[in-house]
């Protein structure tokens, strides 16, 4: 596993006041010219480049809006007790507050000592406020979400002068299975409380949250696998997002790409081909079967190559690369099939059959085994669609 390198704003035992004074000229140079001085830390330089000095003020949500967003962020809400348990003791001891924001940068939970919370109200860092970089300029919360990594923003590294007496240490919470940023956790307080250990703690807590989400999802898949009776033949049981709970007779990975608008009945799933889809509580049971005779393919070469498989009234569209579109066009035009040498001769810029076979392997993965071999040909009726 790749070890994440953390970049704290201050070194251990470095004087915060002296550090802040050294950053003021750099900030003023950028604020007046928008040219970023070389000594600015790379993570801060990238943030300064991403946003304007003239960000519009965003009015905070009211209590009803905050409640709606907490309901929307149900997965994040389930992590709040753990996050408070890990971080609030440090926040209280160091004179920091804990802030938890959602996937759009809205602050939904704030906890910590009353004096620091009153100070944060003066700069608008309150529940219901949105603190992305595009809203309030460079800040820990916004930079961590943009960078998708833990970030510590110190004093004059903030884009707005009213934040120059603050240090904000933030880390995004990322759901590993989807890659989605669910929100961010932040410890914020006076810049005099800045310490590199804070960055390490916030980062470790975010990793723990990610691991907890993964364990909960794995448990949900086990529950799904144990609650749905499965047939004896080929089948795949998946949750609503396509994550595989159980499979037999199909060579599948951890997740299937389910067609948009999947309905019960005959369907075409790219990794599986023709199946019968049955909706079950929490997901789908996809049966294997001889349903390919009911399917046909329509190929649209322009403006973007698209292969559409139609079965039982359901249409599954698969966007292709330009090269795969060229190959599929040749297979549609030659239903009797072409070998690798014949395809090589017809494909522009291709000089070896090894390249052809590699591209065919990738195309077959995209089309669920629809392409047969020896010679290469389509396994169902196909035609061009204007």
């Amino acid at each position: 596993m790749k070890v994440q390198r953390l970049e704290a704003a201050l070194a251990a035992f470095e004087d915060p006041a002296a550090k802040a004074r050294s950053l003021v000229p750099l900030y003023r140079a950028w604020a007046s010219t928008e040219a970023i001085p070389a000594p600015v830390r790379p993570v801060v330089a990238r943030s300064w480049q991403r946003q304007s000095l003239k960000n519009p003020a965003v009015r905070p949500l009211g209590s009803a809006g905050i409640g709606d967003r907490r309901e929307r962020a149900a997965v994040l809400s389930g992590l709040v007790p753990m996050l408070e348990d890990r971080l609030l003791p440090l926040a209280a001891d160091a004179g920091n507050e804990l802030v938890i924001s959602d996937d759009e940068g809205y602050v939904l939970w704030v906890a910590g000592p009353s004096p620091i919370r009153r100070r944060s109200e003066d700069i608008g860092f309150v529940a219901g406020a949105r603190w992305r970089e595009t809203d309030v300029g460079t800040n820990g919360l916004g930079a961590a979400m943009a960078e998708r990594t833990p970030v510590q923003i110190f004093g004059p590294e903030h884009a707005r002068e009213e934040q120059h007496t603050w240090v904000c240490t933030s880390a995004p919470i990322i759901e590993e299975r989807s890659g989605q940023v669910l929100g961010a956790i932040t410890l914020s307080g006076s810049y005099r409380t800045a310490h590199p250990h804070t960055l390490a703690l916030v980062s470790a807590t975010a990793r723990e949250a990610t691991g907890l989400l993964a364990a909960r999802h794995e448990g949900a898949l086990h529950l799904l696998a144990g609650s749905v009776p499965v047939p004896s033949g080929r089948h795949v049981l998946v949750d609503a997002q396509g994550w595989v709970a159980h499979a037999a007779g199909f060579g599948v990975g951890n997740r299937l790409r389910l067609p948009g608008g999947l309905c019960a009945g005959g369907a075409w799933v790219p990794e599986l081909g023709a199946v019968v889809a049955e909706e079950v509580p929490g997901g789908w049971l996809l049966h294997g079967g001889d349903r390919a005779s009911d399917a046909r393919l329509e190929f649209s070469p322009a403006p973007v190559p698209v292969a559409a498989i139609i079965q039982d009234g359901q249409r599954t569209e698969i966007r292709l690369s330009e090269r795969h579109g060229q190959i599929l066009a040749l297979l549609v035009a030659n239903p009797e099939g072409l070998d690798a040498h014949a395809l090589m001769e017809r494909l522009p810029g291709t000089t070896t059959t090894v390249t052809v076979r590699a591209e065919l392997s990738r195309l077959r993965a995209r089309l669920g085994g629809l392409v047969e071999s020896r010679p290469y040909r389509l396994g169902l009726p196909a035609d061009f669609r204007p």
Side-chain angles (χ1 to χ4, degrees):
M1 186 177 74
K2 184 178 179 180
V3 177
Q4 187 179 48
R5 183 180 180 276
L6 301 179
E7 182 184 320
L10 275 75
F13 306 114
E14 188 173 8
D15 178 33
K19 178 70 173 182
R21 287 194 297 270
S22 72
L23 291 173
V24 170
L26 303 180
Y27 170 81
R28 288 177 177 170
W30 168 65
S32 61
T33 67
E34 295 195 12
I36 300 174
V40 173
R41 290 193 297 141
V43 67
V44 177
R46 290 192 298 271
S47 180
W48 283 3
Q49 288 173 338
R50 282 192 296 264
Q51 43 79 57
S52 167
L53 289 168
K54 299 178 180 179
N55 305 94
V58 179
R59 185 176 181 179
L61 301 173
S63 57
I66 294 172
D68 290 343
R69 286 213 155 253
R70 286 179 176 177
E71 289 184 13
R72 174 180 173 272
V75 175
L76 185 63
S77 298
L79 296 173
V80 170
M82 183 275 288
L83 298 175
E84 291 182 339
D85 181 68
R86 300 295 185 274
L87 296 174
L88 269 183
L90 175 66
D93 291 343
N96 283 192
E97 63 181 356
L98 169 62
V99 175
I100 304 172
S101 56
D102 69 7
D103 60 331
E104 294 184 7
Y106 280 97
V107 174
L108 298 186
W109 293 273
V110 182
S114 297
I116 192 67
R117 292 181 63 182
R118 285 194 295 269
R119 283 192 60 214
S120 68
E121 291 175 359
D122 294 337
I123 61 171
F125 198 31
V126 295
R130 194 176 66 189
W131 269 61
R132 298 178 304 188
E133 290 178 329
T134 52
D135 300 316
V136 293
T138 298
N139 69 93
L141 189 163
M145 294 187 72
E147 295 276 329
R148 296 174 62 91
T149 194
V151 172
Q152 190 172 53
I153 300 295
F154 173 84
E157 291 177 334
H158 290 88
R160 292 190 173 181
E161 291 194 37
E162 65 266 25
Q163 300 169 27
H164 284 189
T165 58
W166 290 78
V167 61
C168 295
T169 307
S170 304
I173 298 176
I174 300 176
E175 187 179 44
E176 283 187 335
R177 59 192 177 106
S178 66
Q180 178 186 1
V181 176
L182 300 181
I185 50 177
T186 302
L187 287 179
S188 62
S190 167
Y191 74 90
R192 296 182 183 277
T193 67
H195 197 285
H197 289 172
T198 307
L199 183 60
L201 176 63
V202 170
S203 177
T205 303
R207 288 197 304 271
E208 183 179 356
T210 296
L212 183 58
L213 290 175
R216 288 177 179 176
H217 181 244
E218 191 65 26
L221 289 179
H222 281 301
L223 183 62
L224 177 61
S227 63
V228 176
V230 295
S232 57
R234 296 192 308 157
H235 66 271
V236 181
L237 177 64
V238 298
D239 68 8
Q241 288 74 44
W243 291 92
V244 176
H246 186 266
F250 286 106
V252 296
N254 294 328
R255 189 181 189 183
L256 296 178
R257 291 169 293 168
L258 298 180
L262 180 63
C263 300
W268 188 276
V269 177
E271 292 94 332
L272 306 180
V275 295
V276 178
E278 177 186 345
E279 191 169 10
V280 298
W284 293 90
L285 180 61
L286 308 172
H287 306 258
D290 185 17
R291 300 294 299 270
S293 59
D294 299 331
R296 73 180 192 278
L297 181 145
E298 292 181 351
F299 176 59
S300 303
V304 177
V306 174
I309 296 93
I310 296 92
Q311 183 180 8
D312 285 3
Q314 294 195 53
R315 181 184 182 89
T316 303
E317 293 191 351
I318 303 169
R319 294 168 66 92
L320 304 175
S321 68
E322 181 180 356
R323 175 61 81 191
H324 287 168
Q326 293 170 344
I327 295 173
L328 188 56
L330 290 171
L331 297 179
V332 173
N334 297 273
E336 71 283 358
L338 298 168
D339 62 20
H341 186 76
L343 283 168
M344 181 193 71
E345 291 181 332
R346 291 166 171 80
L347 287 171
T350 304
T351 58
T352 69
T353 56
V354 173
T355 301
V356 172
R357 291 190 179 96
E359 291 291 354
L360 260 298
S361 177
R362 287 188 280 268
L363 180 60
R364 295 180 77 181
R366 291 282 289 148
L367 299 180
L370 184 152
V371 180
E372 300 178 0
S373 59
R374 298 181 183 177
Y376 293 111
R377 62 194 184 278
L378 296 174
L380 75 173
D383 54 40
F384 288 94
R385 184 185 184 196

